[in-house]
Structure formats: structure tokens, C-alpha cells
């Protein structure tokens, strides 16, 4: 049955919920100044405040640095010791500046000695250059003008007997300086084996002149190696024996009557001789060096 058709049915009153905040009254908008209608502010829930972080008592709290201005003030003169030299006081800053001290005499002496030494060296170099360009000294030369083979044979197949005579030529190419050969030794080699040696008398060579000395070299019963014996036999068959002549000399060059200097001179010659007893020189090559 429908509730409205029931006579015992009583209509239920509608319950209304009261409004917490009444609506604001609407005010008329002024035609002169029309302002926008304010909106209702909605209150939102705020978050709970954060708990403060505990700071340890022992931790130092940083404090901002402050610039401090430092001023220098001159100390009283009665508190400062008296300097060795008079101080110079600047009027602006008030700082005390010492005057430069005097140089030690020992330093002056060392400087003067070094300067004098350099002057002596420079003067010496200039003198040497002047002497060189005036005299034009040139190194003397050792040469062999002629040579003869008087005897050469192998005794019992391996002992060498030889007799060689050479005409040594000592030449001074300098035109303004004289050269003296005070000491000299001439040696005869067959390959690398020394077979004879002779002393040479002193030689005085004048300006741009050559002097000759006869040197007699004789060897007896010199043992040769197997390779050297076979080579000498082959050279005798071909009528051409090769020897080495080496000279060592003590030389002094005279530049005028005052200046002179000494040095060692070495000569090396390679000569080819025909067979004895009338062997003659058919080839030579000489060089000289200090």
C-alpha cells in the first residue's frame, strides 16, 4: 500500500542542516568604482611545526668575522737600540728604513783580482793572434826522399834478416819561423812487427828549408808469424816488398828571438821496395801529424 493512501501515515518533517557561516550581504556595485568581489578564503589545515634540532653545547657557534684596521705607530726611541747607521724615517708610514751598509773590502779585492785576470787573458789572446798572423807558423813535415833494400831473406824459413837505408827529409814550410828537431827515432816495421829502429841526430831547419838525414836500419834474426812469412815469400816472388817507416820527434818552433814552443811530431810512411841486393823504392805514401 502506498504511504500516502494510509490514513495513519503522518508526514515526516524534513530536517535542515544549519549553515555555519551565513552568506555575506550583497552590496550594490558603485558605478564610479567597480571593485572585484572578494572571494571566500578557504582555511586549509596547516602542518605541525617542526621540532627544533638540539645543538650540542660543546659545538662552537660561528661568529662573523669583522675587519680590524691595524695601524703601525713608531715605538718610543728610548725603547729601541741605537742602530749602527742613522735610520731614515718616512713621513707617511712612520716605518724605519736602514741605510745600505758598506761593501766588505774582501769583496772589492776579489772583484778587482777577477777583472785583472780577465784583462791578462784577453791581452794574451790578442798577442797570440798578432804573432800568428805575423809569423804564420806551419807544422813541419817528415818525408822519405829515397830508400834502398840491401838485403832481405828468411833464415830457416821464419827468421827475417834485412838491411834498409832511407834518406829522410825534414821540411819546414814556414817562412818566418825556424824549427829544431831536438830528438828523433825512426823505426822500420813489416806489417805490425817491429824489425829495426835507429836514432836520428838533431836537425836545425831554417826558414822555408829542407834538411836530409841518412838513416840506416838493419835487422837480424827477427821471428815473423806464419801469415807474415807467407806474405813475404809472395812479395819476393812478385818483386815488391812493402815496409812501414814510423818516426817520432821532439820539435821546437822559434817565433823570433823570444817566443818559442815545443811539441811532439809523428811521421808515418809506407814504402814499396824491389828485391835485394839492389832494391829501390818504387812507391811511397807519407803523412805527418802532431
Amino acid at each position: 500500500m502506498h504511504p500516502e493512501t494510509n490514513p495513519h501515515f503522518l508526514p515526516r518533517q524534513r530536517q535542515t542542516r544549519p549553515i555555519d557561516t551565513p552568506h555575506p550581504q550583497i552590496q550594490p556595485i558603485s558605478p564610479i568604482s567597480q571593485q572585484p568581489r572578494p572571494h571566500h578564503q578557504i582555511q586549509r589545515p596547516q602542518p605541525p611545526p617542526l621540532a627544533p634540532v638540539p645543538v650540542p653545547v660543546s659545538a662552537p657557534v660561528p661568529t662573523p668575522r669583522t675587519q680590524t684596521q691595524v695601524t703601525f705607530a713608531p715605538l718610543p726611541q728610548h725603547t729601541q737600540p741605537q742602530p749602527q747607521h742613522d735610520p731614515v724615517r718616512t713621513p707617511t708610514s712612520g716605518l724605519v728604513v736602514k741605510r745600505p751598509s758598506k761593501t766588505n773590502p774582501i769583496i772589492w779585492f776579489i772583484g778587482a783580482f777577477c777583472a785583472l785576470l780577465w784583462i791578462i787573458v784577453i791581452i794574451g789572446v790578442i798577442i797570440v793572434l798578432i804573432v800568428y798572423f805575423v809569423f804564420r807558423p806551419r807544422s813541419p813535415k817528415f818525408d822519405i826522399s829515397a830508400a834502398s833494400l840491401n838485403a832481405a831473406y828468411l833464415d830457416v824459413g821464419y827468421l827475417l834478416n834485412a838491411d834498409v837505408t832511407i834518406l829522410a827529409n825534414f821540411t819546414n814550410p814556414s817562412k818566418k819561423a825556424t824549427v829544431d828537431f831536438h830528438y828523433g827515432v825512426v823505426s822500420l816495421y813489416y806489417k805490425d812487427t817491429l824489425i829495426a829502429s835507429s836514432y836520428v841526430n838533431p836537425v836545425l831547419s831554417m826558414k822555408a828549408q829542407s834538411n836530409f838525414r841518412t838513416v840506416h836500419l838493419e835487422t837480424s834474426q827477427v821471428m815473423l808469424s806464419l801469415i807474415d812469412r807467407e806474405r813475404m815469400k809472395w812479395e819476393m816472388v812478385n818483386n815488391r816488398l812493402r815496409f812501414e817507416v814510423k818516426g817520432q820527434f821532439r820539435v821546437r818552433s822559434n817565433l823570433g828571438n823570444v817566443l818559442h814552443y815545443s811539441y811532439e811530431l809523428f811521421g808515418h810512411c809506407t814504402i814499396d821496395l824491389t828485391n835485394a841486393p839492389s832494391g829501390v823504392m818504387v812507391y811511397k805514401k807519407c803523412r805527418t801529424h802532431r
Side-chain angles (χ1 to χ4, degrees), residues 161-212:
N161 296 276
D163 187 351
V164 179
T165 303
I166 64 174
L167 183 63
N169 180 11
F170 300 91
T171 304
N172 176 24
S174 299
K175 297 181 180 180
K176 296 182 179 180
T178 60
V179 176
D180 299 333
F181 291 84
H182 290 282
Y183 170 83
V185 175
V186 177
S187 302
L188 183 65
Y189 289 80
Y190 182 76
K191 299 306 176 185
D192 296 331
T193 303
L194 175 63
I195 58 177
S197 182
S198 177
Y199 172 75
V200 179
N201 294 327
V203 178
L204 177 61
S205 180
M206 301 304 292
K207 300 175 184 179
Q209 186 179 357
S210 298
N211 285 341
F212 299 92

Side-chain angles (χ1 to χ4, degrees), residues 1-272:
M1 179 178 292
H2 198 272
E4 294 181 357
T5 57
N6 191 0
H8 298 286
F9 177 74
L10 294 177
R12 189 177 181 179
Q13 296 181 356
R14 184 178 296 177
Q15 296 182 359
T16 60
R17 187 177 180 180
I19 300 174
D20 295 337
T21 57
H23 293 282
Q25 295 180 1
I26 300 174
Q27 296 180 359
I29 300 174
S30 175
I32 298 174
S33 60
Q34 296 182 1
Q35 297 180 357
R37 182 182 299 177
H39 298 279
H40 297 284
Q41 295 181 357
I42 303 173
Q43 296 182 357
R44 296 180 180 179
Q46 299 293 334
L50 298 177
V53 180
V55 179
V57 180
S58 60
V61 179
T63 57
R65 297 183 179 179
T66 59
Q67 270 189 339
T68 58
Q69 185 176 3
V70 181
T71 57
F72 297 91
L75 297 176
Q77 293 187 2
H78 65 274
T79 59
Q80 296 180 356
Q82 185 67 21
Q84 185 176 359
H85 303 282
D86 296 335
V88 178
R89 186 182 301 276
T90 58
T92 56
S93 62
L95 298 178
V96 177
V97 180
K98 291 184 179 180
R99 291 182 178 178
S101 59
K102 295 182 179 180
T103 307
N104 196 337
I106 298 177
I107 299 177
W108 283 106
F109 175 77
I110 295 175
F113 176 77
C114 293
L116 182 62
L117 182 62
W118 275 108
I119 292 173
I120 294 174
V121 170
I122 293 173
I123 293 175
V125 172
I126 294 174
I127 292 174
V128 170
L129 291 176
I130 292 174
V131 170
Y132 176 80
F133 285 109
V134 170
F135 290 94
R136 297 282 183 173
R138 298 173 61 184
S139 178
K141 296 181 180 179
F142 169 76
D143 195 2
I144 297 177
S145 298
S148 61
L149 181 60
N150 305 320
Y153 62 93
L154 291 173
D155 193 5
V156 297
Y158 59 90
L159 298 176
L160 175 62
N161 296 276
D163 187 351
V164 179
T165 303
I166 64 174
L167 183 63
N169 180 11
F170 300 91
T171 304
N172 176 24
S174 299
K175 297 181 180 180
K176 296 182 179 180
T178 60
V179 176
D180 299 333
F181 291 84
H182 290 282
Y183 170 83
V185 175
V186 177
S187 302
L188 183 65
Y189 289 80
Y190 182 76
K191 299 306 176 185
D192 296 331
T193 303
L194 175 63
I195 58 177
S197 182
S198 177
Y199 172 75
V200 179
N201 294 327
V203 178
L204 177 61
S205 180
M206 301 304 292
K207 300 175 184 179
Q209 186 179 357
S210 298
N211 285 341
F212 299 92
R213 289 290 184 273
T214 301
V215 182
H216 186 212
L217 300 168
E218 186 177 3
T219 178
S220 176
Q221 302 294 316
V222 176
M223 181 180 294
L224 299 178
S225 63
L226 178 60
I227 298 176
D228 292 344
R229 293 197 303 264
E230 296 298 327
R231 186 177 183 87
M232 177 166 279
K233 292 178 181 178
W234 181 83
E235 290 179 351
M236 288 180 178
V237 171
N238 290 274
N239 194 22
R240 190 163 182 166
L241 284 77
R242 173 163 292 187
F243 295 92
E244 304 287 337
V245 179
K246 297 181 181 180
Q248 181 179 358
F249 311 99
R250 183 69 178 177
V251 182
R252 185 180 70 179
S253 295
N254 304 312
L255 306 177
N257 298 326
V258 180
L259 299 177
H260 59 85
Y261 62 98
S262 300
Y263 51 92
E264 294 285 339
L265 191 69
F266 301 91
H268 184 198
C269 293
T270 301
I271 57 175
D272 289 353

